[in-house]
Amino acid sequence: MSVKTDYKELEVLAQRGRWLVISTVAGSGAGHVGGPLSAMDLMVALYFRVMDVRPQEPQWPERDRFILSKGHSAIGQYTVMALRGYLPVEELKTFDKGRSRLQGHPDVTKLPGLETSTGSLGQGLSVGLGFALGGRLRGQKFHTFILIGDGELQEGMIWEALHIAPRYKLGNLTAILDWNGLQQFGWLLAPGEKHRGDRRDPWAGVDLKTIFEKLGWRVLEIDGHDYSQIVPALDAAKKFGDSDQPTIIVAHTIKGKGVQITEGKFEWHSKVATKEELYAVAAELGVEEVGV
Amino acid sequence: MKALRDVFGETLVALGKTNPNILVLDADLANSTKADKFAVEHPDKFLEMGIAEQNFVGVAVGLASLGFVPWLSSFTVFFTHRAVDPIRMLVAQTHANVKIGAAYAGLLTGLTGKTHQDVEDLAIMRAMPGMTVLAPADEFEGEAMIRWATEFAGPVYLRLARDASPPVFDSDYAFTPGKTYHLREGYDLLLISTGPQSVRCVEAAERLAEQGISAGVLHVPSIKPVKTEEIVTACEPVPIIFTVEEHNVFGGLGGLVAEILAEHLPKLMIRFGIEDRWGESAPNDFLLDQFQLSGPRLSERIVNRLRVAKS
């Protein structure tokens, strides 16, 4: 449980994480950028402040569990795991290159520290529900965190899990909605319409908070890039572990957050930075060794 | 003579008394699949997951990672069609220790019609890397498979017919994955089948014998894995082979045997099954007659086919 209220360290880690994502994707010639960047602050807070984990003993039975349900943001998770010590940062260069532990989408059979495989969208929350239910049946105290995207929230399977989790009173389950308002292609903005991204927010005008509450979830709403909101919300959710209600944290985020050329641009869902763009990003993020 | 769904419920009840890790997850069909027997005996290990088959597959994967042995109970169609994506990515690709109790398999689904008659499941499930696919013929084989699958570490798809079939095995039956079983010897032709259809093949062979035709019956309960050499050896002595299945003639048992023979022992092989069409609501006898899978209809078809082969 976090006691520190100074978040500078986390901001620095996230900054480095963002550079590693964009440069790794550039090095591999393919991959996703926008999603990993919108979820970066949430994952840094989880791995560095909130979750009780042992990177050197990834199968430790009492560890808190995390699933990145929006599996295409895998490089974001690998980056944070590398910074946390699960794997060498140098290994990120193997991403997507064959015989790598770092597959395009998280593969639990390859990389210790992953809890399941994701990639086909909308499936992570159900597995997390199984962890939380199993933890209760076993009398274990770990907490389960599932990060879901607002794009994959369109998948029906997520709503099946959203319906069942409160029925089993799983206070040890926390979903985090990375609500960045953009997806791979999505819908055009109507003339005069304004959203935080350059396409229409898939959930524009929908009161998700009330819907989740009415389904039986405890809802916390935060700015997903402000550590003074992220860390207390995640800590609070964990403290509710013995309660009889699951928690969902609605995190308002920006796709491609933290890098000028990628912020709020749907095309950066999966795009490879050119050499010139990489130098510009390096300068913006204060990276000295570009190494491209 | 016991219905396979009763065997399913009763065997799980018995296993629940000795294996502390067994859980049964239901998708609101427990009183059809007979998982309700388990719900009565082991209420704390019975998890009602509602009418949401994709989710309950994912939940089972989470439970399996904590050392539980989750048995999923629903109808065949809702696994291999509705929930095939989580079965593929979460179960098969991670080799999760999840057991799929696929009830109401094949054509004989109790007057439910084509929506509930899965004529594609074997093709889908056997194409999935790492999946074990089993189809028991009778109550003894069904019980043995449920017990084996519970001990086996990995995903298993168990194709369970709804109703009873006259037993071809007895309580001494021991299941070995991949193994095939000679239910009847014969030298004019060989019938290869799976599930309760094997029992109807025995009946067909008896009728053929009355007409002086000697037909063997090879039962293949383990669609995957399968002992290729046993199929080849069984096919060697006969001039013609018939595969018979309650499944589309594409991609199921007929596909499996055709693949094996094409590579190892090219010879004449005829596929009997559902000829690329959908089922319909009707009593079992009507359906078996309509789709020409009953013992009498099978023997007629075989006689006709042999006549064609001779001319």
Side-chain angles (χ1 to χ4, degrees):
Chain A
M1 202 62 48
S2 162
V3 284
K4 288 195 243 176
T5 52
D6 173 17
Y7 303 118
K8 184 70 193 157
E9 174 206 5
L10 302 184
E11 284 161 10
V12 170
L13 282 163
Q15 183 97 330
R16 178 149 166 69
R18 288 189 162 95
W19 167 251
L20 289 170
V21 165
I22 210 163
S23 57
T24 302
V25 168
S28 296
H32 294 79
V33 171
L37 264 50
S38 74
M40 182 57 66
D41 295 311
L42 296 165
M43 289 194 288
V44 164
L46 279 166
Y47 275 100
F48 283 88
R49 281 285 168 89
V50 180
M51 289 201 297
D52 203 3
V53 292
R54 296 179 180 173
Q56 304 306 320
E57 192 190 348
Q59 301 303 319
W60 176 46
E62 299 305 321
R63 69 192 182 279
D64 289 332
R65 267 74 169 169
F66 172 72
I67 297 173
L68 179 69
S69 184
K70 38 174 259 178
H72 55 273
S73 294
I75 187 59
Q77 184 179 10
Y78 299 152
T79 295
V80 177
M81 288 174 75
L83 293 171
R84 187 69 174 83
Y86 284 87
L87 60 145
V89 171
E90 196 64 15
E91 191 177 338
L92 292 174
K93 287 183 180 154
T94 70
F95 176 58
D96 263 348
K97 284 185 180 158
R99 295 197 189 88
S100 173
R101 300 196 294 174
L102 311 181
Q103 295 288 296
H105 296 86
D107 184 342
V108 68
T109 68
K110 302 234 186 261
L111 183 66
L114 297 176
E115 302 290 356
T116 192
S117 293
T118 54
S120 179
L121 291 174
Q123 303 193 18
L125 188 58
S126 301
V127 181
L129 206 163
F131 291 159
L133 191 51
R136 281 274 170 91
L137 291 169
R138 290 267 189 241
Q140 288 182 261
K141 288 292 180 190
F142 64 82
H143 201 93
T144 299
F145 294 94
I146 313 298
L147 197 148
I148 62 181
D150 58 338
E152 67 169 343
L153 191 61
Q154 291 153 51
E155 294 281 6
M157 185 172 164
I158 290 200
W159 293 91
E160 295 183 358
L162 285 167
H163 168 250
I164 295 287
R167 189 173 290 272
Y168 279 91
K169 304 181 186 305
L170 299 172
N172 55 350
L173 177 67
T174 296
I176 306 159
L177 177 65
D178 176 11
W179 190 351
N180 64 32
L182 286 174
Q183 53 200 74
Q184 174 160 339
F185 193 69
W187 295 269
L188 291 172
L189 288 168
E193 200 178 7
K194 289 247 182 302
H195 287 252
R196 63 189 179 287
D198 59 356
R199 294 248 164 166
R200 188 161 214 276
D201 182 336
W203 296 98
V206 179
D207 187 357
L208 286 176
K209 183 170 184 277
T210 302
I211 291 171
F212 295 145
E213 274 168 359
K214 296 287 185 195
L215 280 168
W217 291 70
R218 177 188 296 108
V219 183
L220 306 174
E221 201 167 9
I222 61 167
D223 174 342
H225 301 303
D226 179 350
Y227 286 103
S228 73
Q229 295 184 40
I230 299 170
V231 175
L234 290 170
D235 277 346
K238 208 174 153 175
K239 273 190 198 130
F240 290 129
D242 289 327
S243 76
D244 60 2
Q245 195 180 18
T247 301
I248 184 162
I249 298 175
V250 174
H252 296 277
T253 56
I254 291 168
K255 195 150 178 171
K257 169 73 181 178
V259 174
Q260 223 169 23
I261 56 167
T262 64
E263 268 193 25
K265 309 255 187 8
F266 85 95
E267 64 173 8
W268 275 96
H269 174 84
S270 54
K271 190 167 186 277
V272 178
T274 63
K275 212 168 206 182
E276 293 69 33
E277 284 170 334
L278 263 192
Y279 278 110
V281 172
E284 182 186 350
L285 297 178
V287 179
E288 284 165 15
E289 293 288 322
V290 179
V292 289
Chain B
M1 191 161 86
K2 199 184 278 182
L4 275 167
R5 55 180 180 158
D6 289 319
V7 172
F8 179 68
E10 288 166 19
T11 306
L12 289 176
V13 165
L15 286 169
K17 289 174 181 161
T18 54
N19 186 327
N21 291 318
I22 285 195
L23 297 172
V24 174
L25 281 72
D26 173 45
D28 200 45
L29 290 169
N31 44 356
S32 291
T33 65
K34 301 302 174 192
D36 59 350
K37 294 173 192 277
F38 187 91
V40 170
E41 293 286 331
H42 305 291
D44 298 341
K45 298 174 181 177
F46 176 83
L47 303 168
E48 180 52 65
M49 286 288 134
I51 308 166
E53 294 83 6
Q54 298 178 79
N55 177 63
F56 94 148
V57 171
V59 173
V61 171
L63 291 166
S65 88
L66 290 161
F68 289 105
V69 181
W71 270 95
L72 293 168
S73 177
S74 183
F75 290 171
T76 304
V77 280
F78 304 135
F79 286 114
T80 66
H81 305 282
R82 171 81 67 164
V84 72
D85 190 13
I87 288 174
R88 173 180 179 272
M89 184 182 79
L90 298 176
V91 178
Q93 292 192 346
T94 73
H95 205 67
N97 194 21
V98 170
K99 315 303 167 183
I100 300 169
Y104 285 48
L107 271 181
L108 312 182
T109 55
L111 308 178
T112 54
K114 68 176 102 171
T115 53
H116 288 52
Q117 289 161 322
D118 199 342
V119 299
E120 314 109 278
D121 67 321
L122 293 179
I124 292 167
M125 297 309 287
R126 86 180 185 87
M128 220 177 262
M131 184 61 71
T132 294
V133 182
L134 309 178
D138 68 6
E139 60 195 81
F140 300 107
E141 192 168 52
E143 177 176 347
M145 282 178 172
I146 294 165
R147 290 181 178 277
W148 176 85
T150 300
E151 293 303 316
F152 173 72
V156 176
Y157 175 79
L158 183 62
R159 187 189 210 238
L160 293 164
R162 178 181 184 271
D163 299 317
S165 45
V168 286
F169 297 113
D170 57 32
S171 56
D172 292 337
Y173 177 88
F175 172 68
T176 305
K179 190 170 153 44
T180 59
Y181 297 82
H182 277 279
L183 300 182
R184 188 184 172 96
E185 302 293 334
Y187 50 81
D188 289 328
L189 61 96
L190 179 66
L191 297 168
I192 303 182
S193 192
T194 188
Q197 185 60 44
S198 292
V199 183
R200 294 187 284 271
C201 285
V202 172
E203 189 193 343
E206 284 163 359
R207 286 171 175 266
L208 289 168
E210 289 165 11
Q211 299 172 61
I213 299 166
S214 168
V217 177
L218 184 73
H219 172 55
V220 182
S222 184
I223 299 294
K224 189 179 178 179
V226 69
K227 291 188 192 295
T228 301
E229 65 283 5
E230 288 192 10
I231 302 229
V232 173
T233 305
C235 291
E236 259 166 359
V238 292
I240 183 166
I241 291 128
F242 294 85
T243 58
V244 191
E245 59 194 311
E246 257 182 79
H247 185 277
N248 198 334
V249 290
F250 299 154
L253 176 76
L256 167 68
V257 175
E259 288 160 21
I260 292 171
L261 294 187
E263 285 186 4
H264 300 280
L265 186 72
K267 63 163 58 182
L268 184 59
M269 184 204 129
I270 311 294
R271 291 165 300 146
F272 285 167
I274 296 155
E275 288 171 12
D276 203 26
R277 61 191 178 113
W278 302 109
E280 66 173 291
S281 292
N284 291 356
D285 288 345
F286 179 95
L287 288 167
L288 292 173
D289 186 65
Q290 185 79 4
F291 287 87
Q292 305 186 76
L293 292 168
S294 65
R297 295 306 300 273
L298 273 175
S299 58
E300 287 164 26
R301 283 173 93 184
I302 290 163
V303 168
N304 288 339
R305 192 61 184 76
L306 292 177
R307 203 171 288 142
V308 171
K310 268 181 195 157
S311 66

